[in-house]
Each structure stands twice: as structure tokens, then as C-alpha cells.
Amino acid sequence: MPVTRILSVDDAEEMLAVLAANREFLGNSGPQRTEDFFTVQAQRADLERALEAHAREVMVPLAILDEQGQLIGRININNITRGAAQSATVGYWVSQSHNGLGFASAALADVIGIAFKELRLHRLQADTRLENTASQRVLTHNGFHPFAIAPSYLKIAGRWQDMVMFHLINPDEQ
């Protein structure tokens, strides 16, 4: 059973259910969300935007799946840059009920394969809050290395937060 698959607009209701169930848990890991975000229409619109970006080859939006194929999280290859950089960023989350069970690590391993083998990227970057040691373990388990602290880098949970920046270089593209 695959750990990830490309998201579709038909995932809007399931995505909403997972996000709503994890609203408090995910509240400290992303931007502040308005009530409108927690609607099927908003999730459908978000998925449509992600799939349009995928069609333009600047993003790969993926569902993270459990053993039964149920959506339990999301992982994206974002900001795909060609030219001299050949790089992208990775962002992910997993539902609280499936946290710590290896799903994020397995999904990130899938993404590394997609980014390096299929997209032929040179570099991936991922960022975590300083205190997010669980996500840092996922990254280092998959070969990422910390390389910088970025002060006030992302506005998460309503305030600008310092982030630890990680990167992974494609061993076949050095």
C-alpha cells in the first residue's frame, strides 16, 4: 500500500474532516485559520489551487495515507524552482492520532524519491520551529541536515517564529 498519492478535488470532505479533528493540534504549526477555512468549499478551492500549481509544475500536492488508504495528513513539494537552482521546499503534517508512527518519515521518503528521481531536483529544503523536535527527527532520519536558524522566518499561530532550516542534496546531482 502506498504511503502517498496525488491529492484530488474529491478529497475535500475527507481533508476537512481530518483538519477539523486536528484543529487544535495543528494550530501551532501553520498560519492562523479563519472559520471559512474549515468548510468543504474552502478545502475544494485549496485543492483546486494546488492542482493548478501541479499542472504548472511548481508543486506536487500529496495525501499521506494510513494502512487502509485513509487520508491522515498532507505533504507537499512546494516552490519548485528550475534553472540554476533545481530546488524545492517540503512541508507536511500528520494527524495527531497517527503522529509518531512513522507515517511522516515514510511520506518524506516518498517525496525524496519523487523530487530526486522523477523531478531530477538538486536540493530539497524543509523548515521547522525550533521546538519541533519530532519533525526534526523525521528530517534527519531521511538524511536532511540543519544548516541555519532563520529569525522571524514564518508567521505561525499568529506570530513570527524562528525556524531551523534543513536541506538535502540529491546524491546523483552533485
Side-chain angles (χ1 to χ4, degrees):
M1 161 85 30
V3 179
T4 62
R5 68 164 169 76
I6 296 290
L7 283 160
S8 84
V9 175
D10 294 336
D11 291 316
E13 287 185 32
E14 192 173 6
M15 182 65 71
L16 174 60
V18 175
L19 286 167
N22 288 276
R23 188 173 188 170
E24 186 175 325
F25 175 68
L26 296 173
N28 289 326
S29 61
Q32 284 187 315
R33 306 291 188 184
T34 64
E35 287 301 316
D36 292 350
F37 177 79
F38 295 95
T39 65
V40 173
Q41 295 82 2
Q43 293 308 308
R44 184 168 282 120
D46 180 62
L47 292 168
E48 287 171 352
R49 282 189 299 275
L51 291 168
E52 288 168 7
H54 184 244
R56 292 190 322 272
E57 300 181 349
V58 295
M59 177 187 198
V60 180
L62 299 160
I64 301 175
L65 309 172
D66 68 8
E67 298 92 345
Q68 290 76 40
Q70 298 298 304
L71 193 150
I72 59 165
R74 184 167 173 175
I75 187 165
N76 297 321
I77 302 173
N78 296 305
N79 307 312
I80 297 171
T81 304
R82 294 300 183 176
Q86 297 295 324
S87 66
T89 59
V90 178
Y92 55 89
W93 59 266
V94 175
S95 68
Q96 186 172 20
S97 62
H98 291 81
N99 221 4
L101 300 177
F103 289 103
S105 283
L108 185 55
D110 280 358
V111 159
I112 291 167
I114 293 167
F116 290 166
K117 303 278 189 248
E118 294 177 30
L119 301 176
R120 306 283 300 158
L121 295 175
H122 171 70
R123 181 179 186 275
L124 287 175
Q125 180 175 314
D127 313 309
T128 72
R129 288 178 298 120
L130 297 177
E131 65 275 9
N132 189 348
T133 56
S135 191
Q136 292 166 21
R137 280 191 303 273
V138 167
L139 292 165
T140 57
H141 175 79
N142 279 281
F144 281 73
H145 301 282
F147 71 94
I149 303 288
S152 297
Y153 189 65
L154 294 175
K155 193 169 191 179
I156 296 175
R159 65 184 183 84
W160 290 101
Q161 308 239 1
D162 298 346
M163 305 294 282
V164 181
M165 303 175 91
F166 287 78
H167 72 117
L168 180 64
I169 304 296
N170 184 342
D172 297 330
E173 293 289 318
Q174 290 193 32

